[in-house]
């Protein structure tokens, strides 16, 4: 078994590795035939194995690197721990606005923030530990490289695992953009960023998507000078322009340099610095000296070296494993879930997909991915959270909408917190109270969006939500305000005249 190292090699990373790739792990003797073999122990693989094992299935789980996948090791968990430290640093700088004097000469301790991140990650890794899956869920955990040797068999370091059903959950990785000299100069991705122990004085971020924006703001708040390069004319292009504009204003106010409508064309190492050459709107190349480069320019599925051809599984190097709406591959024995096959690259999407796979693969289920109501959130400050349709989606499908938007400056708690730059926006099917989508921009939008998702899943219209009582004062009250706007819109002049007539009769 290959020994895995996670840098830096301190007590926290030692605990992490002991959990998710134990150096002394011995693969079990394989069962004669498994109900389910799961390739990859990221979120999709772990949830698939845990649910199936809990239901009595004979399950084998194969992982070549670290159990927990991107989310635990190089994604959600470490990034949110760093973001928390960065947010506290920003709050300290703004303490005077709240009537507090910050300590004299107080500066963020980057090394301490990263050390805390490693401690938090190690603590959470107990949940994804190999020994836990073996003991608690009865899963046979194999650490090693999995390769399909046929349509119903997987080999792990020379051992053959036969299966009735299998799941490809091998995840994805950061894509390397074709920039001249980038590899030679050296760069960071989410897979290496959290190895840092010293703060880069000057950080270039290539890509203005969610990961790039989250880390650009976090590193700026922890003391780095940050330049973010984005090809389009604003960051977070997937989101509504008005939502992205709020985050963009926050970035500028915090001192992040945004180089928009730009193209990084070349990188050179010169002495102790790296020169990033970029063009703006087709102009001549301009150099920018930095100490580190974070590449956040998309993802690629992990489909190589899995023997998918032998398994008769169709795949594309860019799109990943090809599946239908029930997550079945061309081989009816084999399913796929998570980043290796889905356009939603979220931990919670992988979790939901895993449960679909278990039902469809083992219990003749007919669950569909297209039936999911999928929220997501970008954890900048403010956060942007969304669920359902955007206006552009509805327009493309020919669906007429009524849209209600409540600015957070009309929410008392947001004003008291100094967090009024944001909004709650809901899209209703024209002429009804049926919610088709929503976007929230707020300090804790990710906590608020689930109320919209619950209403959509439960088919609860705004008329029903009028009965919900929110504690005062909370930022969630902005959702309540949308019901008031809806009610007032229903109060047409004719209805108002009828009410007036009724009141005259009641005098």
């Amino acid at each position: 078994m290959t020994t895995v190292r996670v840098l830096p090699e301190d007590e926290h990373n030692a605990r992490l590795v002991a959990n998710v790739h134990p150096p002394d792990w011995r693969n079990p003797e394989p069962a004669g035939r498994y109900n389910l073999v799961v390739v990859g122990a990221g979120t999709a693989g772990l949830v698939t194995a845990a649910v199936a094992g809990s239901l009595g299935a004979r399950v084998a789980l194969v992982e070549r690197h670290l159990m927990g996948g991107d989310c635990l090791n190089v994604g959600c968990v470490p990034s949110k721990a760093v973001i928390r430290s960065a947010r506290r640093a920003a709050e300290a700088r703004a303490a005077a606005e709240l009537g507090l004097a910050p300590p004299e000469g107080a500066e963020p301790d980057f090394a301490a923030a990263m050390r805390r991140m490693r401690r938090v990650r190690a603590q959470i890794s107990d949940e994804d530990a190999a020994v836990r899956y073996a003991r608690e869920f009865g899963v046979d955990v194999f650490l090693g490289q999995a390769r399909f040797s046929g349509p119903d068999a997987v080999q792990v370091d020379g051992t053959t695992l036969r299966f009735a059903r299998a799941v490809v959950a091998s995840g994805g990785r950061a894509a390397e953009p074709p920039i001249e000299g980038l590899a030679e100069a050296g760069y960071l991705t989410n897979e290496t960023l959290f190895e840092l122990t010293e703060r880069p004085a000057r950080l270039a971020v290539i890509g203005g998507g969610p990961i790039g924006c989250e880390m650009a703001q976090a590193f700026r708040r922890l003391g780095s000078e940050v330049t973010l390069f984005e090809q389009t004319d604003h960051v977070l292009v997937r989101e509504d322009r008005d939502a992205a504009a709020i985050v963009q204003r926050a970035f500028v106010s915090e001192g992040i340099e945004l180089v928009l409508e730009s193209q990084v064309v070349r990188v050179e190492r010169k002495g102790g610095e790296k020169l990033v050459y970029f063009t703006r709107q087709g102009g001549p190349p301009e150099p920018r000296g930095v100490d580190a480069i974070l590449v956040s320019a998309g993802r690629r599925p992990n489909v190589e070296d899995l023997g998918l051809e032998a398994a008769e599984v169709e795949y594309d190097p860019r799109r990943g494993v090809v599946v239908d709406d029930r997550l079945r591959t061309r081989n009816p024995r084999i399913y796929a879930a998570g980043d290796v096959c889905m356009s939603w690259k979220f931990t919670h999407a992988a979790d939901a997909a895993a449960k679909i796979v278990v039902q469809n693969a083992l219990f003749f289920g007919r669950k569909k991915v297209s039936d999911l109501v999928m929220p997501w959130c970008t954890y900048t400050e403010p956060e942007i959270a969304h669920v359902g349709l955007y206006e552009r989606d509805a327009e493309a499908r020919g669906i007429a909408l009524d849209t209600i938007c409540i600015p957070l400056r009309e929410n008392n708690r947001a004003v008291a917190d100094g967090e009024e730059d944001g909004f709650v926006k809901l899209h209703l099917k024209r002429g009804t109270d049926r919610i088709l989508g929503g976007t929230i921009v707020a300090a804790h939008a990710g906590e608020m969006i689930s109320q919209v998702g619950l209403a959509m899943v439960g088919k609860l219209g705004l008329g029903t939500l009028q009965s919900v009582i929110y504690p005062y004062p909370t930022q969630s009250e902005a959702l309540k305000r949308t019901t008031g706007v809806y009610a007032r819109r229903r109060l047409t002049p004719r209805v108002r005249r009828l009410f007036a007539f009724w009141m005259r009769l009641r005098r």
Side-chain angles (χ1 to χ4, degrees):
M1 185 177 71
T2 303
T3 300
V4 172
R5 298 176 63 202
V6 177
L7 300 176
E9 293 182 308
D10 62 3
E11 70 273 22
H12 304 306
N13 282 341
R15 176 180 175 182
L16 173 73
V17 172
N19 275 330
V20 298
H21 199 113
D24 57 351
W25 186 261
R26 293 183 178 227
N27 288 337
E29 288 295 320
R33 183 180 176 87
Y34 288 96
N35 298 112
L36 195 65
V37 169
V38 183
V39 177
T43 298
L46 289 174
V47 174
T48 299
V51 173
S54 298
L55 294 173
R58 189 67 168 145
V59 180
L61 175 64
V62 188
E63 174 54 52
R64 66 182 177 183
H65 190 47
L66 299 174
M67 294 181 63
D70 270 18
C71 179
L72 170 68
N73 298 289
V74 295
C76 310
V77 170
S79 67
K80 301 315 168 280
V82 171
I83 287 171
R84 182 65 188 96
S85 295
R87 179 172 291 181
R88 180 59 62 86
E91 289 169 350
R93 289 193 189 96
E97 298 176 13
L98 302 177
L100 301 173
E104 190 69 29
E107 290 293 332
D109 187 335
F110 182 84
M114 299 301 278
R115 187 164 55 250
R116 175 186 178 272
M117 174 273 295
R118 296 193 297 274
R119 175 176 58 78
V120 168
R121 180 173 61 182
Q123 177 182 338
I124 293 175
S125 74
D126 293 348
E127 299 177 14
D128 297 344
V131 68
R132 178 183 180 230
Y133 273 73
R135 292 177 180 173
E136 187 172 332
F137 303 117
V139 172
D140 285 353
V141 176
F142 292 83
L143 298 181
Q145 175 65 53
R147 293 183 183 85
F148 287 93
S149 55
D152 64 348
V154 167
Q155 285 199 337
V156 184
D157 297 340
T159 299
T160 298
L161 312 179
R162 300 203 170 274
F163 58 80
R165 297 287 186 270
V167 180
V168 180
S170 51
R173 64 189 185 278
E176 179 183 336
I179 298 173
E180 180 186 344
L182 179 64
E184 293 77 7
Y187 63 95
L188 301 164
T189 68
N190 70 296
E191 295 172 13
T192 53
L193 181 69
F194 303 109
E195 296 176 357
L196 293 178
T197 57
E198 296 182 7
R199 176 180 61 210
R202 299 169 300 170
L203 176 67
V205 179
I206 300 177
I211 295 174
C213 284
E214 288 177 3
M215 292 298 97
Q217 188 179 46
F219 272 67
R220 176 62 188 139
R221 290 176 161 190
L222 291 174
S224 296
E225 293 181 10
V226 176
T227 303
L228 189 152
F229 297 93
E230 167 57 38
Q231 294 181 353
T232 65
D233 64 353
H234 68 283
V235 299
L236 299 173
V237 293
R238 184 176 188 174
E239 304 298 341
D240 286 337
R241 183 178 285 270
D242 55 354
I246 294 173
V247 172
Q248 193 160 302
R249 285 199 299 270
F251 281 12
V252 172
S253 70
E254 293 185 24
I256 297 172
E257 182 182 6
L258 300 177
V259 185
L260 304 175
E261 296 183 275
S262 65
Q263 182 77 36
V264 176
V265 294
R266 188 171 82 255
V267 178
E268 291 180 0
R269 180 183 287 277
K270 186 175 182 180
E273 71 173 356
K274 301 173 184 181
L275 292 177
V276 177
Y277 289 87
F278 61 97
T279 59
R280 305 179 199 244
Q281 300 179 344
E286 305 174 43
R288 181 62 50 84
V290 299
D291 301 293
I293 301 169
L294 171 62
V295 171
S296 177
R299 306 279 294 170
R300 290 287 182 272
N302 293 326
V303 292
E304 301 84 6
D305 205 25
L306 292 176
L308 294 176
E309 297 85 354
E312 301 171 5
V313 170
E314 183 182 355
Y315 69 94
D316 179 90
R318 294 179 63 88
R319 294 188 299 118
V321 172
V322 178
V323 294
D324 64 13
D325 202 16
R326 295 188 172 92
L327 295 175
R328 298 173 299 191
T329 71
R330 189 175 66 177
N331 180 341
R333 296 174 180 268
I334 301 176
Y335 291 70
D339 287 8
V340 75
C341 66
M342 299 170 67
S343 58
W344 291 323
K345 311 295 185 187
F346 314 123
T347 294
H348 51 280
D351 182 300
K355 292 164 185 173
I356 289 176
V357 162
V358 172
Q359 293 178 72
N360 291 351
L362 300 182
F363 296 100
F364 307 104
R366 299 181 65 79
K367 296 289 186 179
K368 296 180 179 180
V369 174
S370 59
D371 290 336
L372 296 175
V373 176
M374 185 62 61
W376 55 82
C377 183
T378 299
Y379 297 93
T380 50
E381 189 173 15
E383 297 175 353
I384 300 180
H386 179 82
V387 66
L389 298 182
Y390 292 99
E391 289 176 276
R392 60 180 179 270
D393 298 329
E395 183 178 351
R397 300 181 193 183
I399 301 173
L401 295 177
D402 291 324
T403 297
I404 299 173
C405 186
I406 303 298
L408 279 193
R409 64 176 177 271
E410 298 179 7
N411 176 271
N412 293 352
R413 179 59 183 272
V415 173
D417 288 343
E419 296 170 347
E420 63 265 37
D421 199 3
F423 58 74
V424 171
K425 182 193 297 184
L426 296 184
H427 304 304
L428 311 179
K429 186 175 181 181
R430 175 71 57 83
T432 75
D433 70 343
R434 181 186 170 195
I435 303 171
L436 298 182
T439 296
I440 300 176
V441 184
H444 302 287
E447 306 289 348
M448 297 166 64
I449 197 66
S450 293
Q451 297 181 58
V452 183
L454 174 63
M456 293 174 65
V457 170
K459 296 180 171 38
L460 303 175
L462 274 190
T464 301
L465 293 185
Q466 281 183 285
S467 301
V468 176
I469 299 173
Y470 291 86
Y472 177 87
T474 59
Q475 294 192 23
S476 293
E477 276 193 300
L479 289 164
K480 177 184 177 181
R481 291 286 302 277
T482 65
T483 68
V485 172
Y486 169 74
R488 289 193 295 275
R489 287 183 179 179
R490 295 182 66 197
L491 194 61
T492 62
R494 180 174 182 274
V495 172
R496 194 183 292 270
R497 287 195 299 271
L498 288 173
F499 276 138
F501 175 73
W502 173 252
M503 292 303 171
R504 286 196 299 271
L505 293 178
R506 301 291 293 174
R507 288 176 188 167

